[in-house]
Amino acid sequence: GPSRRGFLTVAGGGTLAALLAACAPGATDDSTAGATAAATGPARRGGTLRVGTPPPPTAVDPVTAYDGTAIALYQLVAEYLIWLDKDFKLVPRLATKWTSDATGRRWTFTLREGVTFSDGTKLDAATVQASFDRLLDPTSRSAALSAFDTVLKAGGVRTRGDSTVVFTLERPFSDFPYLVSAGNYNAVILKKDYAGDFTRNGIGTGPFTLKSYDVSTGAVLVRNPAYWDSPRPYLDGVEVRFYADDQADLVALQSGDIDTQFLSRPALVEPLAGSRGIAVDKVRGTGVTVLTLRVDKAPFDRKEVRQAVACALDRPAVRQAAGSGLGDLGNDHLFAPLFPAAPTDIAQRTRDRAEVTELLKAAGLKSLRFTLTFDPPNKDYAVTVQSQLKEAGITVDLDQRSSEEFYGGDQTRDTPWLFTTANLVGWAGRAVPSQFIIPMVKTGGVWNGSQYSNKVLDAAAEAYDAATSDAERRKQAEIIARALHEDVPIVVAFWGGAARAYGSGRFRGVQAHPSQYVDFTSVSRA
């Protein structure tokens, strides 16, 4: 979603969350389980990292949480089978390798030997099975249920001995490892007897243990001396402090009361980089604001009109105005450059006013005027689109609604974010492209606001999910991307980036992450 707090809410309106899908056919442990420290030189042990963040709006329960603060808190304590690093590479954590059978429906994971929970309980296959059974239980209110939808059902997880877990899928799904990685942020491995009491009894296999938690002030975490990836972590502990809003969080960083933030906002921290000892680590991301055009309604029922809008945009300027200059340029398809299968040989669409005129003429239009509907988080984006299109002779009337109204109404009939002629929707980053493609542009997709339908794309989307090789995945990705680039049911001007600000004087190795995740295992004293 649009907000940095609800990773997968398609916005303020609540959990319209669908991690609807997830990329490596197989992987083996290359013993780089800890992230590399950002600075060179030997790590220096000791110190407590002070982190600022807004208080979590939901319970800190790994099964149900979907806000950034809660997710960051439990990521310090509990671990995934696979980590998703800042380059969207899958990194072995509690699993050392994973392979799929020839059908792409059965996946076998080998667990790391000798791992224990912080209370001494041994990690085994039955514990991993229990964690996924909990997430797949329809009564658990698990925030991961939508991620597994159509891919993995309750009963699909089995053990083979103590160190092997076998997942049998509902359909072939080549990106399945992403669904059991940090990319599906609820998928941490918890003890068999976990009962939803994480803040009182937060036990995991991770680098830190939760010493205390106060819903109004914050949390104290201490180093887990029995952590399997010794000598990490280098820190003695992490102190998390809750601040009422972004501004208070920022002031605390500037004054040195905290060392870093869980959820830095690029627009606020970017101007501070390099001043008063503040450093800002930046990464590319897969979050995106999409300009959706209704292909079944005038004026956008003509492809040339949609192409004209796409050709009228100065994409670097849109990225600067609406994205703080971070992230990759978009090319009107749903494969972010971070996705391994992203096509690289489709010419980047650039601003071309002569082409705009030609396209409108081809559509039989002397002029073009339309209304663009959006909610407050996308106001800068909307104003930028309006002024850029005006320069190309296209008039855009702005229709701003409250987030509540924009995402409200009947989701099957009249909600503005799906049923207006043109609108801007903020989508949180996804771990895999299918999680955008299936709901957004496949025929009959649950969030297909453009009403786009293309049999070639539909077939390629299914073939992409069923692909058993990287080459096949790339081939299908190119078919999907070319169809979207040509038909323009959606305009993707840029892919958002992420940032994390930190005081460079006391610690090093603090990194940004495309999904705002935290891995402090390699942070050490400066």
Side-chain angles (χ1 to χ4, degrees), residues 224-511:
N224 175 6
Y227 186 49
W228 60 267
D229 195 16
S230 171
R232 295 181 173 89
Y234 305 116
L235 296 168
D236 290 333
V238 177
E239 185 190 330
V240 179
R241 299 179 184 178
F242 295 157
Y243 291 94
D245 54 40
D246 295 327
Q247 214 53 53
D249 199 0
L250 195 69
V251 169
L253 180 72
Q254 288 175 291
S255 66
D257 285 348
I258 56 173
D259 302 302
T260 188
Q261 301 173 308
F262 278 156
L263 306 170
S264 294
R265 278 186 58 190
L268 293 178
V269 301
E270 190 63 351
L272 303 178
S275 69
R276 295 161 68 171
I278 292 176
V280 179
D281 190 42
K282 293 177 275 201
V283 288
R284 304 148 75 196
T286 66
V288 65
T289 293
V290 170
L291 169 55
T292 309
L293 305 172
R294 280 287 289 265
V295 304
D296 61 337
K297 279 192 172 170
F300 300 121
D301 51 352
R302 292 292 302 262
K303 177 169 79 176
E304 296 88 350
V305 180
R306 304 192 299 269
Q307 290 173 337
V309 170
C311 288
L313 290 178
D314 174 353
R315 290 159 197 259
V318 178
R319 178 177 59 182
Q320 192 58 51
S324 304
L326 298 186
D328 293 300
L329 292 183
N331 204 17
D332 307 328
H333 61 70
L334 290 168
F335 287 88
L338 259 190
F339 291 138
T344 52
D345 56 355
I346 301 175
Q348 172 64 53
R349 193 166 264 145
T350 55
R351 186 174 213 189
D352 185 341
R353 286 191 212 155
E355 178 74 355
V356 173
T357 308
E358 284 303 307
L359 286 163
L360 291 178
K361 201 160 99 186
L365 293 179
K366 286 198 169 63
S367 63
L368 174 61
R369 181 173 194 158
F370 68 92
T371 299
L372 178 60
T373 309
F374 59 96
D375 72 334
N378 284 315
K379 185 174 183 182
D380 289 346
Y381 202 127
V383 169
T384 306
V385 167
Q386 182 188 45
S387 71
Q388 289 191 1
L389 266 58
K390 187 180 179 182
E391 289 168 19
I394 299 170
T395 304
V396 180
D397 300 310
L398 297 185
D399 169 27
Q400 179 173 308
R401 315 276 184 99
S402 69
S403 293
E404 202 176 0
E405 190 193 344
F406 185 68
Y407 291 100
D410 183 332
Q411 299 296 312
T412 62
R413 217 176 39 239
D414 60 10
T415 181
W417 79 282
L418 291 177
F419 290 95
T420 47
T421 306
N423 58 59
L424 289 169
V425 175
W427 294 75
R430 300 294 200 260
V432 296
S434 300
Q435 294 167 338
F436 288 124
I437 293 159
I438 292 170
M440 207 193 303
V441 292
K442 216 176 161 198
T443 302
V446 61
W447 298 330
N448 186 337
S450 66
Q451 301 296 313
Y452 180 64
S453 176
N454 180 334
K455 286 191 173 72
V456 173
L457 179 140
D458 295 348
E462 281 175 31
Y464 177 91
D465 281 350
T468 52
S469 72
D470 286 339
E472 179 63 18
R473 221 176 353 257
R474 276 196 294 272
K475 178 183 150 189
Q476 300 303 334
E478 175 135 351
I479 293 169
I480 295 164
R482 285 193 182 277
L484 291 172
H485 181 85
E486 171 66 22
D487 293 343
V488 209
I490 53 167
V491 177
V492 178
F494 73 99
W495 293 88
R500 182 164 283 136
Y502 63 99
S504 53
R506 292 187 66 218
F507 295 97
R508 64 170 199 230
V510 174
Q511 294 187 331

Side-chain angles (χ1 to χ4, degrees), residues 14-40:
T15 343
L16 275 165
L19 244 174
L20 276 166
C23 186
T28 50
D29 191 0
D30 56 3
S31 62
T32 52
T36 12
T40 49

Side-chain angles (χ1 to χ4, degrees), residues 39-310:
T40 49
R44 295 178 59 207
R45 183 172 296 300
T48 297
L49 186 74
R50 300 161 306 165
V51 187
T53 191
T58 57
V60 183
D61 174 0
V63 177
T64 59
Y66 57 85
D67 70 274
T69 296
I71 292 163
L73 277 166
Y74 69 68
Q75 284 179 338
L76 294 171
V77 175
E79 292 181 296
Y80 301 89
L81 293 178
I82 310 169
W83 182 248
L84 189 64
D85 77 4
K86 63 195 292 183
D87 298 317
F88 260 56
K89 288 192 181 67
L90 295 168
V91 180
R93 279 284 161 96
L94 296 180
T96 54
K97 67 174 183 189
W98 47 92
T99 53
S100 130
D101 69 356
T103 69
R105 276 192 63 197
R106 180 166 286 132
W107 289 81
T108 304
F109 283 69
T110 305
L111 300 184
R112 189 177 294 281
E113 296 287 337
V115 176
T116 60
F117 286 86
S118 57
D119 68 351
T121 307
K122 183 176 179 294
L123 172 78
D124 60 10
T127 306
V128 173
Q129 180 186 352
S131 279
F132 285 100
D133 285 349
R134 191 184 295 116
L135 292 177
L136 292 164
D137 177 354
T139 66
S140 69
R141 296 187 10 262
S142 148
L145 268 175
S146 57
F148 291 120
D149 190 38
T150 78
V151 178
L152 179 66
K153 272 205 184 112
V157 190
R158 291 278 176 266
T159 62
R160 204 162 64 213
D162 262 3
S163 58
T164 306
V165 182
V166 181
F167 296 87
T168 303
L169 310 187
E170 296 295 298
R171 62 187 174 97
F173 199 80
S174 65
D175 279 347
F176 179 70
Y178 280 94
L179 283 195
V180 295
S181 79
N184 188 359
Y185 51 76
N186 301 100
V188 288
I189 305 305
L190 302 168
K191 284 183 63 184
K192 272 187 267 200
D193 62 359
Y194 175 70
D197 50 352
F198 194 82
T199 52
R200 289 192 306 283
N201 198 21
I203 293 169
T205 61
F208 301 95
T209 59
L210 186 63
K211 187 175 160 192
S212 67
Y213 178 83
D214 184 305
V215 69
S216 54
T217 58
V220 175
L221 299 102
V222 294
R223 181 175 190 272
N224 175 6
Y227 186 49
W228 60 267
D229 195 16
S230 171
R232 295 181 173 89
Y234 305 116
L235 296 168
D236 290 333
V238 177
E239 185 190 330
V240 179
R241 299 179 184 178
F242 295 157
Y243 291 94
D245 54 40
D246 295 327
Q247 214 53 53
D249 199 0
L250 195 69
V251 169
L253 180 72
Q254 288 175 291
S255 66
D257 285 348
I258 56 173
D259 302 302
T260 188
Q261 301 173 308
F262 278 156
L263 306 170
S264 294
R265 278 186 58 190
L268 293 178
V269 301
E270 190 63 351
L272 303 178
S275 69
R276 295 161 68 171
I278 292 176
V280 179
D281 190 42
K282 293 177 275 201
V283 288
R284 304 148 75 196
T286 66
V288 65
T289 293
V290 170
L291 169 55
T292 309
L293 305 172
R294 280 287 289 265
V295 304
D296 61 337
K297 279 192 172 170
F300 300 121
D301 51 352
R302 292 292 302 262
K303 177 169 79 176
E304 296 88 350
V305 180
R306 304 192 299 269
Q307 290 173 337
V309 170

